Amino acid sequence: MAIIRQRAVATLPKLIQSLRKPAVEGRTHALPSLRRAFSLYDQINLIDNVPQDQLRFQGYTDTGFTVNGVEYEGSVLCVGNLLLSWSPNRLSQITPESLSIFQILRPIPEILILGCGRQIQQIDPELGRFIRSTGMKLEAIDSRNAASTYNILNEEGRIVAAALLPSGVSS
């Protein structure tokens, strides 16, 4: 079973790469640049040289996200370099059941970045308790900043997860 899962996870980046298509002009909003203008590390800027098999949010719309050149409609759940379509489309639909993957996933991500849509919203206390019970920290922010934060932490090699609602979702 573990070998099958490893093969599936190893195949996913190749599948994503084969599905790449050019973004439709005018529909997506570019995420802010992650490059720091006066960095001491300008000569070895890793963010500009992200491996092709590493997930990277490149844009967003009111209805979805662009990841590695592929447009995804609706909410997404990302763990490391694994991208899943995710059913909640409002903050109220995010429940312990919708995040139950984190009860069986190993290793547990150190942080779950929850993209609340257009604005930061109040998280249900029961949901917060569930997330902390898995061993993860919770950061609830708007989806645009959640995608950028995921990019930075994932690029640093940290074990991170993101549950993102599209930007068109508001309170």
Side-chain angles (χ1 to χ4, degrees):
M1 177 84 168
I3 294 172
I4 294 171
R5 185 174 11 175
Q6 287 175 339
R7 287 182 185 162
V9 170
T11 304
L12 186 62
K14 294 174 188 168
L15 178 62
I16 290 171
Q17 188 174 23
S18 71
L19 296 174
R20 285 188 178 169
K21 60 181 180 181
V24 177
E25 296 256 343
R27 272 192 54 205
T28 61
H29 305 282
L31 291 171
S33 172
L34 300 176
R35 185 176 180 135
R36 294 187 178 121
F38 299 102
S39 172
L40 296 174
Y41 301 101
D42 276 342
Q43 299 304 312
I44 53 169
N45 187 344
L46 300 177
I47 294 174
D48 286 342
N49 299 308
V50 175
Q52 293 229 346
D53 63 343
Q54 186 170 351
L55 290 184
R56 179 161 173 76
F57 284 89
Q58 297 167 314
Y60 66 94
T61 66
D62 283 349
T63 59
F65 302 90
T66 302
V67 182
N68 291 16
V70 179
E71 292 182 22
Y72 294 90
E73 293 294 316
S75 302
V76 294
L77 183 65
C78 304
V79 181
N81 287 322
L82 178 65
L83 177 70
L84 306 167
S85 179
W86 193 44
S87 61
N89 56 24
R90 291 191 304 273
L91 190 62
S92 62
Q93 294 176 339
I94 301 175
T95 63
E97 290 78 32
S98 71
L99 295 171
S100 62
I101 189 171
F102 295 111
Q103 291 178 313
I104 58 170
L105 186 70
R106 297 295 180 265
I108 294 289
E110 60 185 271
I111 186 169
L112 173 64
I113 304 163
L114 183 59
C116 300
R118 191 173 307 279
Q119 303 168 353
I120 299 172
Q121 299 179 43
Q122 185 70 29
I123 303 301
D124 179 13
E126 178 186 343
L127 182 63
R129 283 190 293 276
F130 169 77
I131 292 168
R132 285 188 299 277
S133 76
T134 66
M136 293 185 293
K137 295 176 183 166
L138 173 64
E139 182 69 32
I141 53 180
D142 63 281
S143 292
R144 176 181 176 228
N145 287 312
S148 295
T149 302
Y150 177 85
N151 283 348
I152 292 168
L153 295 176
N154 194 34
E155 190 274 330
E156 289 176 351
R158 295 173 63 184
I159 301 173
V160 61
L164 306 176
L165 299 172
S167 291
V169 174
S170 59
S171 53

